[in-house]
Amino acid sequence: MSLTLLGMLGVTAVWAQKEGASQTAPPRRLDPDVVSVRLLLGVGDRQRETWSGQAKVDQGEILGVEGYRFRKGDKVTGNDSWQAKSLLVRKVAAKKAGQNAAKKQVAAKKQRQTGPGTPGVNIAPNGVIVSLKAPSTATLTVETERGDFKVRLADLADGLAHPYLDGKAEARQVPDGVTLLDSVDQEDFPAASADANGAAWVAFVVHQARGPSDLESFRTRPKSFAESAPKGGGDQIRLLRFTAGKAGDPIDVTKPGLDVWRPAVAVDRNGKVVVVWSENKEGNWDLYRRIYAPENQSWSEPKRLTTDPGTDTDVVLATAPDGKVWMAWQAWIKGQAEILVAEVDGDNNSQPLNISNHPGNDWSPSLAFAKNGRCFVTFDSYRAGNYDVLLWSGTSEGGRLVSVAGSAKYEARPTLAVDPRGRAWVAYEERDANWGKDAENLVDGKGSTLYRSAAVRVRCVDGDRVLDAPDPLANAPEELRPMNSYPRISIDRDGRIWLAFRHRQESIWGTQAVMVVGALWVEHATSLAGKAWEPPQPLSRSDGLLDNRPALVAPSDGPLLAFYSSDGRLRREVELTPELGRKFWTHQGTPSGPDSAFNEDLQVAALSPLTKGGSVDPTPTDVVASQDETPAVHPDETANVSRMRDHRIQAGGKTYRLIRGDFHRHTELSMDGGSDGSLEDMWRYALDAASFDWMGNADHDNGGGKEYTWWLAQKTTDLYTGEKFTGMFTYERSNAYPHGHRNVMFVQRGIRTLPRLVDETGVVDEDTPMLYDYLKEHNGLCASHTSGTAMGTDWRDVNPEFEPMVEIFQGHRNSYEYLGAPRVARRPGEAIGGWKPLGMVWNALALQYKLGFQASSDHISTHISYAIAIAEDSTREAIFDAFKRRHCYGATDNILLDVRSGEHIMGDEFNADGPVRLKIKVQGTAPIARVDIIKDFRYAYSTEPQRAQVEFEWKDEEKRPPGLSWYYVRVLQTDGELAWGSPFWVHQGNTQAN
């Protein structure tokens, strides 16, 4: 066996040695027989230690070493030597870090994780990848300043990590991998297909930044914010041929500057390469196709494949045994997602086959063919009120559906492979039951948060039988078993089943010592030969986001190949210095170029089994047993939502509707989003689990001010906007108290997030007025959230023209109505996120600010916060206008609240000649315990109806001098759920309404 250097981390080594050097790794051919050895140094260190060293081998030769997690100051010093230290990831004092370490470790395991941070080490190991040409009988000697150890290469053949130096060092074999493309642009979303000549064709997206790739803080207040609406940039589809271990030059499939989503590729019977992608033209996402002829290097003209007004997306391709290319995709038809199948270039009379065709949204198609020509498509569906995995098999004439996974758990994102015996192998992701239902944090609530747990499962459909495959993580170490997602399944030339999946390796937030791009997810791969899976192996350069979907392809010669992207958040990690903290206030990466901590590049790895020879017939185990159903948290939710959607308010000559949504939802894009799930999870939650009418992504600066993550958030906001759902362009802009966190909203796409205005001490007082100038120039608005915490404000700066509402309740924390009100913390120890009582909403009202009320979720919490717009329509413009006019209310459940005063609705300001009269209608999801009318800081009226539906009128009999008064209605149910109506502001006497 020959061993040589994995091209895994050459970029890191170059950067760590010479700032300003190119980030392009030296080209190296991918060799299926090459294996690499990864050495982790400093495992369990309690303070930073020096792990500089040298490697020697007794047989063969060392070709080189490269860094695993090198930072500035770490470097390769020779062909076989390096200079490195273990790494501080959380700021702790050295003495404290070493005290009572064992007790702290036990306590950390027992501690209930509720918030966005993840318990983890303060000091992380560094390491190197060693390359050798040596027989398997060779021994690698590693000499370091902390001790020497010997590694027998034969011991690493089991794929496990082996400890040395009393566990301070670790060695393991990792698959060979090389970089395909590495540039200042973002290369992402690869799809791959093999041809008959042993080559693989890879289609992918190249994104050029629209404006700066990262936004730096302001030192002076800008006079104009025109640069916040940049032009240029955009996407392009490209194609490359990978053969003999090397990639050819990329070929343009489309022109640059487009708005595209996830391409697919297949090779037809004539060797022509078919590329299909989704593209946004004039607000409609449709599928387009081009065909490349390698023999004369020519392209067909682009062809539009779909024309319906709804979004067509997530296309997948497969070649049938007769050489024709077929496609399956998600089509949004009249606001509902269906899965369609069609021949890519069928005749004009052929129509797509709707294989889902059932109420409830259907997602994530995967397509494959058996040797006999039978077509298989797997997808997941929300038709039962939770995600289940289905498998369709048939022909163009029709087929049948089989339930692959149909419990009350979240079972989604299936991928499919068909083995030579015609059995369909389906891999999918499993999360907790009642996914996206009532949950306050990662441990509490009747339901489950979006990313509380995650596991990968595999099942085999053999005729009419649905069989379980062995647990893919059964032979994995304990730390690798939780939090595994986005499975991808394939079959190699020998018939082995291969599974790749994302694993959350690390999530550092809180006293961090690094520029945190976000949590760290790494791709792993394992194979099933017989009845057991091999130990999962980490893939080279696979660090990046949670939603990363490698393309697995089996060429006609050689091992299975995995093509994937990586943003380099681990390999290009940057220490957080005071200077960088001021320059990039959100702590999420640094500028492009040599110092970049975030740039999507394309990688490829060769997947070879650890076990050579023997049986390769994958064997499923038992027939899937029926599972007990978990009771639904909201059995009447469909009726409750319909009642809200059907309600109409006739007032002032206009007709209003209740548009339910959320202004504040985080994902994997946030630096503290390691427990929030992926960007797609957010949209699935909004469309299915919550049945929202609108949603806004509230990742911090849409991913720390990075252009690419902003582009993805904006793109998917358009992608999922349709007939029944509206995505709003939003983000969270975070400043510590007293400046406060604010969520920002725009109607139009294309407005970049606003950096902070800082000096040497941090954010300055003029930052908030600068925000209002920016909102004025680009027609935006904002809302303070968690106002009574360390993330809140003392209301020193409020401009109601651009800040017309406030988040009165947040699902992840508390209510901020006033001290003593329901769900408001009553002492510092009860306040989640800090105790700043000056931020209570009544204090803003006391300062005469006119703010509407809404409730939103923030991190983790689900289904207990609703920002309800009272709008004339569900368009972006109508929703924005409703919040601008304070026509809104907040609730913790689907509580219908309709309060009017004559021709005025909640949020209005008006003149009254006589006593104020309120007409109140409430329809709860449980009996109403209490309805309060609050006027000018006192309870003007209360009633305790003890029934679900309440309607009454109230007249204000209080005699007061002329002036301005405010009134609002609060509803409390017997189960503790609440609704807060936005106030009316009423001028009586000679005062005038604005």
Side-chain angles (χ1 to χ4, degrees), residues 780-859:
L781 58 78
C782 68
S784 175
H785 76 76
T786 51
S787 55
T789 71
M791 297 163 279
T793 178
D794 57 7
W795 309 108
R796 62 182 56 194
D797 291 306
V798 176
N799 186 332
E801 181 180 358
F802 307 108
E803 190 170 350
M805 58 180 165
V806 62
E807 187 181 279
I808 196 169
F809 170 80
Q810 182 186 103
H812 185 49
R813 294 184 175 90
N814 301 113
S815 173
Y816 305 97
E817 187 180 1
Y818 66 89
L819 293 178
R823 299 205 188 187
V824 174
R826 297 170 60 190
R827 57 170 70 102
E830 297 172 355
I832 305 172
W835 173 255
K836 299 292 182 181
L838 288 179
M840 294 298 158
V841 172
W842 273 21
N843 291 336
L845 297 178
L847 292 169
Q848 303 300 298
Y849 294 128
K850 301 180 181 71
L851 299 172
F853 299 159
Q854 53 95 5
S856 290
S857 56
D858 197 7
H859 290 284

Side-chain angles (χ1 to χ4, degrees), residues 77 141 194 215 568 789 792 850 889 986:
T77 57
T141 300
L215 297 175
T789 71
K850 301 180 181 71
Y889 72 94
V986 184

Side-chain angles (χ1 to χ4, degrees), residues 636 639-640 643-644 893-897 921-929 947-950 971-975 977 979:
D636 299 323
N640 293 335
R643 180 172 57 244
M644 297 277 285
D893 204 346
N894 286 300
I895 300 172
L896 189 156
L897 178 59
K921 178 176 182 178
V922 182
Q923 177 67 60
T925 57
I928 306 300
R947 59 182 185 274
Q949 184 171 345
V950 181
V971 177
L972 174 63
Q973 296 190 158
T974 55
D975 59 3
E977 303 304 334

Side-chain angles (χ1 to χ4, degrees), residues 764-783:
V764 301
D765 286 343
E766 283 193 52
D767 179 77
T768 305
M770 179 187 72
L771 169 63
Y772 298 139
D773 289 346
Y774 156 86
L775 295 174
K776 180 179 181 180
E777 186 167 331
H778 295 297
N779 189 31
L781 58 78
C782 68

Side-chain angles (χ1 to χ4, degrees), residues 446-514:
K446 300 176 184 177
S448 169
T449 62
L450 306 190
Y451 194 51
R452 178 182 293 176
S453 69
V456 291
R457 306 293 186 208
V458 177
R459 287 182 174 168
C460 175
V461 179
D462 186 2
D464 294 326
R465 298 187 304 159
V466 180
L467 308 174
D468 257 329
D471 180 1
L473 278 297
N475 295 322
E478 184 65 30
E479 64 271 14
L480 190 59
R481 293 180 186 178
M483 308 312 291
N484 297 306
S485 304
Y486 284 89
R488 315 293 289 174
I489 199 167
S490 189
I491 299 176
D492 67 15
R493 292 184 302 112
D494 296 324
R496 288 183 182 83
I497 301 294
W498 281 89
L499 179 72
F501 59 90
R502 301 296 282 173
H503 171 69
R504 190 183 69 184
Q505 176 175 307
E506 183 176 286
S507 182
I508 300 298
W509 185 247
T511 65
Q512 64 276 6
V514 295

